[in-house]
């Protein structure tokens, strides 16, 4: 299999004015864009005007520089004195060059409603106006902006007026729901609430999530829900009364499209129970799978539509998905595989894989505690992992170079090793493994010395800085790191953050090949914003004989729920139980890690 190109990322809404959009080069403009973003957020927050101005001035200074400041910092040169950039801002510049972001910006973003930043991309709205909309009217997202405009409330806010209100409504409606994809984990809970709500409407026989959410894609554009009910049932009217529905875009008797308060679009379709299966196949998609199925039907002399499989105008299957697939001579195909990537041929030949199931995971090999940047203690994490059905959990704190995450040095790690030994002696039903998420430094060396790493059960290596190296440099860096004798797993290999940071520019086939030769594993990091490696890349890694480790990268006890999205992505990658490292029992894993001899029981 040829490794396909990395899928394009949505533009980075995080840095609306950045020239770095879509690329990862950290240059003067990139740093300036982060500072402008901070200034915008401070302004919306109604912070001190001098503080806001300091960031704007610094951004201007950076854009006017005639040399590449980021590069010179990356080379280890000290920062020259620049007008308007004092110690504090110089520190932030270092942080941005080192990590690609700034903790102040992340903090500001997390304290403001998530949809608020989207308002800045609407023509006519700058931070000052957004501040007024937010503080005076409580407008927190695009959907609420539309609502307020329709109700004529915006015109009364100082600095707006009637014309401005009409212009904003138009601009907001044009931009609504377009080109925005978010991590699946953000959509799944609300989709569940909505389907449960729909199921309670009297007369509703079935309500299911469809679309990309049912196929468990890493990112989702909108939520699609399919309901089975007799035509007499008032499903749409009930649906739009749901308290989370904020704007109704389309409303008919059998369909509705709405925007929720969070800005998410939901498409609802209501069909008669007799055609529910055919409709579910259609609305689950993907479009490519649908087209391929329809072509197959045509080759067999039938017709497939959202109403069923028809032979000579007679409907031969429509009530269930299984019946529809059977009528086409196929076994039922699980939604995760419906991407027209060979699943129809495999189904036809009865060669569909026995996909990994959530219950197959026996452990998790990447997690943090309070000792670095996690939110819970060792014991709390251990008990939560046991509660999640796991047999073992590797504690992998950050290493010393990652100061923003309070990375551990040799002393801190020694202390944790002792704590883990003590806890393991007392814990029942869960074993903690001693690990580290060691920083891969710019040149590919690891952030802690060999004698320290050698004391651990496993070493997870990760990139957290210098995202903008050339493809050759970045590839060499990772290859060098993986060459290290204690290296076990390459964590989040591409370092992408959905909607925030593009994937690293690396020669992934070379990395996968090296992992195969060196016996390293690659991670499928299941943190909602990461989901890294991607599905197709995991599939390619499998074909090259590389084991994948599905890890939560949990920072708090609730984060073990990430694993279900990781398993779903692995299923999309056609992975079976044996393709995944942490489906091994603790004993098997210990053998793999050479902690016990291969023959020991
Ligand atoms: P998304 O929302 O961008 O994450 O992706 P989907 O796959 O959920 O796409 P969406 O919401 O536009 O449509 C839901 C399903 O409806 C899709 O998976 C397949 C089906 N569908 C939509 N448009 C077409 C089409 O033009 N042809 C066919 N055959 N199916 C379509
Ligand atoms: Ca969708
Ligand atoms: Ca849709």
């Amino acid at each position: 299999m040829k490794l396909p190109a990395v899928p394009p990322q949505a533009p980075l809404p995080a840095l609306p004015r950045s020239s770095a959009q879509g690329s990862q080069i950290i240059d003067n403009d990139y740093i300036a864009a982060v500072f402008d973003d901070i200034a915008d957020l401070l302004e919306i927050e109604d912070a001190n005007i001098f503080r806001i101005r300091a960031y704007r001035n610094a951004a201007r200074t950076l854009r006017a520089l005639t040399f590449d400041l980021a590069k010179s910092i990356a080379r280890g040169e000290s920062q020259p004195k620049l007008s308007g950039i004092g110690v504090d801002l110089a520190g932030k510049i270092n942080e941005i060059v080192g990590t690609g972001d700034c903790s102040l910006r992340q903090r500001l973003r997390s304290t403001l409603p998530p949809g608020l930043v989207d308002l800045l991309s609407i023509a006519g709205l700058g931070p000052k106006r957004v501040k007024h909309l937010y503080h005076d009217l409580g407008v927190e997202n695009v959907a609420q902006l539309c609502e307020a405009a329709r109700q004529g409330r915006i015109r009364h806010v100082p600095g707006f007026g009637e014309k401005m209100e009409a212009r904003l409504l138009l601009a907001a409606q044009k931009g609504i729901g377009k080109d925005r994809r978010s991590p699946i984990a953000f959509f799944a809970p609300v989709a569940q609430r909505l389907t449960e709500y729909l199921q309670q409407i009297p007369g509703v026989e079935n309500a299911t999530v469809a679309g990309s959410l049912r196929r468990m894609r890493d990112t989702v554009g909108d939520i699609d829900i399919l309901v089975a009910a007799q035509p007499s049932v008032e499903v749409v009217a009930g649906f739009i009364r749901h308290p989370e529905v904020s704007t109704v875009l389309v409303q008919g008797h059998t369909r509705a499209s709405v925007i929720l308060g969070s800005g998410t679009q939901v498409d609802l379709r209501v069909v008669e129970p007799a055609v529910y299966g055919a409709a579910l196949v259609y609305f689950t998609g993907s479009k490519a799978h649908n087209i391929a199925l329809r072509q197959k039907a045509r080759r067999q002399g039938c017709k497939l539509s959202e109403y069923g499989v028809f032979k000579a105008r007679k409907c031969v299957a429509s009530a269930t998905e299984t019946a529809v697939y059977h009528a086409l001579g196929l076994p039922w195909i699980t939604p995760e595989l419906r991407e027209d990537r060979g699943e129809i041929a495999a189904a036809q030949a009865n060669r569909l894989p026995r996909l990994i199931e959530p219950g197959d995971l026996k452990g998790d090999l990447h997690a943090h505690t309070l000792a670095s940047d996690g939110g819970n203690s060792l014991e709390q994490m251990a008990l939560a992992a046991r509660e999640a059905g796991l047999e073992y959990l590797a504690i992998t704190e950050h290493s010393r170079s990652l100061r923003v995450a309070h990375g551990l040095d040799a002393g801190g790690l020694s202390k944790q090793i002792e704590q883990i030994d003590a806890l393991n002696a007392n814990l029942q039903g869960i074993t903690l493994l001693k690990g580290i998420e060691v920083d891969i430094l710019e040149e590919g060396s690891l952030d802690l010395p060999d004698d320290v790493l050698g004391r651990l059960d496993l070493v997870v290596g990760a990139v957290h800085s210098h995202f903008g190296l050339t493809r050759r440099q970045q590839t060499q860096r990772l290859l060098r790191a993986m060459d290290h004798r204690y290296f076990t797993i390459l964590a989040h290999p591409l370092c992408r953050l959905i909607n925030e940071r593009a994937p690293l520019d690396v020669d992934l086939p070379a990395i996968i090949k090296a992992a195969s030769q060196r016996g390293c594993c690659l991670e499928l990091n299941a943190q909602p914003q990461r989901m890294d490696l991607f599905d197709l890349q995991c599939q390619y890694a499998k074909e090259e004989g590389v084991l994948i480790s599905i890890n939560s990268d949990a920072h708090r006890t609730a984060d073990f729920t990430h694993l279900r999205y990781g398993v779903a992505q692995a299923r999309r990658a056609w992975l079976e139980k044996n393709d995944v490292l942490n489906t091994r029992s603790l004993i098997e894993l210990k053998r793999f890690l050479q902690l016990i001899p291969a023959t020991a029981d």
Side-chain angles (χ1 to χ4, degrees):
M1 161 182 182
K2 196 170 161 307
L3 186 64
V6 167
Q9 291 277 296
L12 299 171
L15 304 176
R17 295 182 209 154
S18 167
S19 62
Q21 282 186 16
S23 81
Q24 257 316 287
I25 298 162
I26 298 185
D27 54 12
N28 300 342
D29 281 351
Y30 183 99
I31 306 168
V34 176
F35 280 176
D36 268 333
D37 202 34
I38 290 176
D40 286 353
L41 294 166
L42 286 170
E43 193 160 355
I44 295 173
E45 210 187 40
D46 210 12
N48 178 304
I49 184 73
F50 295 103
R51 195 164 164 225
I52 300 168
R53 223 172 268 161
Y55 283 96
R56 295 233 191 274
N57 290 341
R60 209 169 307 128
T61 304
L62 286 164
R63 287 202 175 88
L65 290 182
T66 51
F67 65 97
D68 190 338
L69 179 65
K71 246 197 201 132
S72 78
I73 294 173
R75 277 195 301 266
E77 293 165 19
S78 60
Q79 271 191 52
K81 269 207 107 37
L82 297 169
S83 104
I85 297 187
V87 181
D88 176 52
L89 288 175
K92 294 212 164 52
I93 292 176
N94 278 332
E95 189 189 347
I96 295 163
V97 173
T99 68
D101 204 350
C102 173
S103 48
L104 169 64
R105 177 170 160 276
Q106 288 170 351
R107 189 179 60 69
L108 287 168
R109 278 185 158 250
S110 66
T111 54
L112 290 168
L116 207 56
V117 195
D118 296 343
L119 295 178
L120 288 171
S121 57
I122 290 175
L125 283 186
K128 192 178 279 165
R129 287 209 166 103
V130 171
K131 174 177 86 177
H132 280 296
L133 290 171
Y134 176 47
H135 292 280
D136 301 359
L137 293 182
V139 166
E140 294 186 355
N141 53 48
V142 179
Q144 289 176 0
L145 176 79
C146 292
E147 195 71 9
R150 275 200 211 96
Q151 293 167 349
R153 289 191 289 134
I154 290 180
R155 63 187 71 176
H156 305 300
V157 180
F160 283 80
E162 220 170 304
K163 265 195 193 140
M164 181 71 182
E165 183 180 73
R167 267 215 320 267
L168 283 179
L169 180 59
L170 203 67
Q173 281 174 330
K174 265 196 204 155
I176 226 164
K178 285 262 165 67
D179 296 334
R180 230 188 121 64
R181 311 188 62 78
S182 298
I184 184 166
F186 297 0
F187 287 93
V190 55
Q192 168 127 12
R193 283 199 294 279
L194 292 173
T195 46
E196 281 168 8
Y197 170 86
L198 284 163
Q199 253 145 13
Q200 282 163 13
I201 295 179
V204 164
E205 295 188 16
N206 221 330
T208 319
V209 168
S212 53
L213 196 53
R214 183 160 181 247
R215 302 197 310 280
M216 300 296 277
R217 263 193 75 171
D218 53 353
T219 63
V220 167
D222 68 8
I223 297 176
D224 302 282
I225 298 179
L226 184 69
V227 164
Q230 298 297 346
S232 57
V233 181
E234 291 287 344
V235 181
V236 170
F239 176 63
I240 62 175
R241 277 200 300 270
H242 188 278
E244 288 182 63
V245 171
S246 127
T247 307
V248 178
L249 300 173
V250 179
Q251 179 183 359
H253 187 67
T254 59
R255 69 169 71 205
S257 283
V258 303
I259 307 283
L260 305 180
S262 59
T264 300
Q265 178 164 334
V266 185
D267 292 340
L268 171 76
R269 279 293 293 261
V270 188
V271 298
E272 293 188 29
V275 298
Y276 186 62
L280 191 53
V281 170
Y282 182 85
F283 290 109
T284 299
S286 63
K287 192 172 163 182
H289 177 85
N290 286 352
I291 292 172
L293 269 188
R294 215 174 303 148
Q295 285 166 345
K296 177 166 168 46
R298 214 171 295 137
R299 281 197 303 273
Q300 291 173 205
C302 344
K303 185 174 167 276
L304 169 69
S305 77
E306 58 186 282
Y307 299 103
V309 181
F310 295 83
K311 261 186 197 149
R313 297 188 172 213
K314 186 171 172 292
C315 180
V316 293
S318 64
T320 67
E321 281 199 331
T322 309
V324 169
Y325 281 103
H326 281 182
L328 299 173
L330 300 171
W332 180 79
I333 299 176
T334 193
E336 293 95 324
L337 292 183
R338 300 184 196 172
E339 296 290 348
D340 191 24
R341 295 175 183 164
E343 71 279 8
I344 295 175
Q348 176 91 51
N350 237 332
R351 280 190 292 101
L352 282 174
R354 266 182 85 98
L355 296 177
I356 178 172
E357 307 267 351
D360 291 334
L361 286 190
K362 297 289 186 299
D364 187 344
L365 298 175
H366 186 165
H368 300 265
T369 76
L370 284 166
S372 65
D373 61 344
N376 291 98
S377 68
L378 270 178
E379 183 168 12
Q380 286 168 334
M381 292 301 279
L383 297 179
R386 186 176 72 185
E387 186 65 28
L390 302 178
E391 196 184 324
Y392 52 87
L393 172 69
I395 301 298
T396 55
E397 308 289 10
H398 290 291
S399 63
R400 60 189 175 187
S401 283
L402 202 61
R403 281 191 286 273
V404 283
H406 311 290
L408 298 189
D409 57 13
L413 197 56
S414 288
K415 209 168 116 198
Q416 189 175 65
I417 288 173
E418 283 168 26
Q419 290 168 342
I420 290 179
D421 282 336
L423 254 180
N424 273 341
N426 289 316
L427 284 172
Q428 310 285 319
I430 181 89
T431 300
L432 291 179
L433 295 170
K434 293 163 238 170
I436 184 86
E437 181 182 5
V438 66
D439 252 48
I440 297 175
L441 303 179
E442 186 182 1
E443 302 298 333
S445 53
L446 303 184
D447 188 29
L448 286 169
D450 271 15
D451 58 332
V452 178
L453 297 179
R455 294 179 60 200
L456 298 166
D457 297 330
L458 78 165
V459 171
V460 176
V463 162
H464 292 109
S465 63
H466 305 288
F467 303 109
L469 300 183
T470 65
R471 186 181 179 86
R472 214 177 134 260
Q473 287 170 329
Q474 202 67 272
T475 306
Q476 288 306 316
R477 175 192 192 184
L478 293 184
L479 292 179
R480 237 194 104 195
M482 286 174 12
D483 246 343
H484 197 283
R485 59 197 282 226
Y486 292 124
F487 199 94
T488 322
I489 300 171
L490 178 61
H492 44 74
L494 292 175
C495 298
R496 68 112 169 226
L497 291 176
I498 292 167
N499 289 336
E500 295 250 350
R501 187 164 63 218
L504 288 187
D505 186 11
V506 284
D507 181 354
L508 196 63
I511 293 184
I512 289 175
K513 190 160 169 218
S516 164
Q517 287 165 349
R518 294 163 204 189
C520 299
C521 302
L522 296 179
E523 183 178 66
L524 194 181
N525 186 299
Q527 250 193 53
Q529 267 199 289
R530 292 194 182 271
M531 300 302 289
D532 172 12
L533 288 176
F534 306 146
D535 48 9
L536 283 167
Q537 299 166 341
C538 288
Q539 191 176 8
Y540 178 77
K542 166 192 170 147
E543 287 169 17
E544 296 292 308
V546 176
L547 278 175
I548 300 292
S549 186
I550 303 175
N551 298 334
S552 69
D553 197 351
H555 281 66
R556 42 197 60 73
T557 50
D559 290 351
F560 293 108
T561 53
H562 298 165
L563 289 171
R564 62 176 279 230
Y565 301 106
V567 171
Q569 180 138 310
R571 289 167 63 84
R572 291 176 54 81
W574 295 52
L575 297 195
E576 305 189 345
K577 184 177 170 184
N578 279 341
D579 302 322
V580 174
L581 174 64
N582 46 327
T583 57
R584 308 279 188 277
S585 68
L586 180 60
I587 293 217
E588 288 165 341
L589 179 82
K590 282 186 167 174
R591 280 195 197 114
F592 177 87
L593 297 173
Q594 299 177 3
L595 302 174
I596 52 175
T599 51
D601 281 322

